[in-house]
Amino acid sequence: MNTRGLKKADDLLNREADRVMDVVYTSTILALHRNQGWGRVRISHFMDKAQQVFNECGEDDTKSMIQLCDEETGIEFCNEKGECWKDDVYLNDELWKVRKAEYQKKPRAYQIAYLTRVRQKQMEWLFPTFGASIAIALHRKEKWGYDKINALIGQMYDVAAEYGQNLEKLKKAIASELNASYEDWKRGR
């Protein structure tokens, strides 16, 4: 059994999840400031809510963040390949329920290989997952509807692309434009 491969996939996924979360959150901060005129205090309150949404949804293993976003807001996130969450066993609990019994009958080596592949697949869904948490938080906290959320998510993606998803450049933009530090928000101001 290649448990080292699974551990390596877990470690890589965790590092990339931390990076992508920071890119999405910094991009969101800049998009809210630039396009909505939000200041530091309002952004701080909103980012707290976004983190709460992410933590709350993360505790429920029956629905992915992306599925929950689709159900609550009508916004369907896809990955960069254009794949829909509904077609992915990792994101769609209904598909998993169908395949779970078959998976559990397989030898342990197969299960580990499968879990390793799932971790690799999860990498493709990190940006949409964190984007979905922002969309849900906008819906719950700000009572925004589909059009307004969708526009902000597009702006967030544009900001991330503007800086090439480079976290250091995004942090410098926050410091310059808001006279604030992203680390302050991350620590929970």
Side-chain angles (χ1 to χ4, degrees):
M1 281 186 270
N2 187 3
T3 56
R4 276 186 263 152
L6 179 57
K7 170 120 176 61
K8 184 178 176 183
D10 278 338
D11 292 345
L12 181 61
L13 177 64
N14 289 333
R15 282 192 310 275
E16 185 62 4
D18 288 343
R19 185 192 75 78
V20 170
M21 178 186 69
D22 287 342
V23 167
V24 168
Y25 285 5
T26 53
S27 299
T28 299
I29 288 167
L30 289 167
L32 288 169
H33 177 68
R34 290 175 180 177
N35 299 292
Q36 299 298 317
W38 288 15
R40 293 185 333 203
V41 173
R42 187 165 185 193
I43 291 171
S44 180
H45 290 299
F46 174 74
M47 294 310 292
D48 289 345
K49 181 64 175 180
Q51 189 62 51
Q52 287 173 356
V53 166
F54 185 82
N55 292 340
E56 172 192 322
C57 295
E59 292 173 2
D60 180 4
D61 64 356
T62 63
K63 290 186 182 178
S64 68
M65 186 83 60
I66 296 168
Q67 179 178 353
L68 186 61
C69 180
D70 190 1
E71 291 173 359
E72 281 193 30
T73 69
I75 295 173
E76 184 179 307
F77 280 84
C78 297
N79 65 16
E80 288 182 4
K81 295 178 181 177
E83 297 170 334
C84 174
W85 69 268
K86 294 174 185 173
D87 300 325
D88 194 307
V89 175
Y90 151 66
L91 297 168
N92 185 337
D93 193 54
E94 294 304 313
L95 285 179
W96 173 241
K97 286 177 185 175
V98 170
R99 297 188 184 164
K100 186 175 183 178
E102 177 185 323
Y103 164 80
Q104 290 174 327
K105 292 177 188 175
K106 298 285 186 181
R108 181 78 176 132
Y110 174 89
Q111 291 178 6
I112 290 173
Y114 178 81
L115 289 174
T116 301
R117 178 64 187 125
V118 166
R119 298 302 185 272
Q120 294 164 345
K121 184 80 170 156
Q122 285 174 301
M123 299 276 279
E124 299 171 7
W125 289 97
L126 290 173
F127 215 94
T129 296
F130 288 107
S133 72
I134 295 296
I136 294 168
L138 288 167
H139 176 72
R140 289 181 181 178
K141 178 156 177 49
E142 300 298 322
K143 307 298 185 222
W144 284 14
Y146 177 90
D147 292 335
K148 199 167 181 179
I149 293 169
N150 211 26
L152 191 276
I153 294 300
Q155 294 159 359
M156 178 267 296
Y157 273 92
D158 290 345
V159 170
E162 175 185 344
Y163 293 96
Q165 295 189 19
N166 182 303
L167 187 55
E168 292 311 311
K169 290 179 181 179
L170 286 159
K171 288 178 181 181
K172 285 180 184 176
I174 287 173
S176 171
E177 294 179 33
L178 285 135
N179 194 28
S181 166
Y182 172 65
E183 279 70 22
D184 290 341
W185 278 298
K186 194 171 178 177
R187 280 192 298 269
R189 291 183 81 170

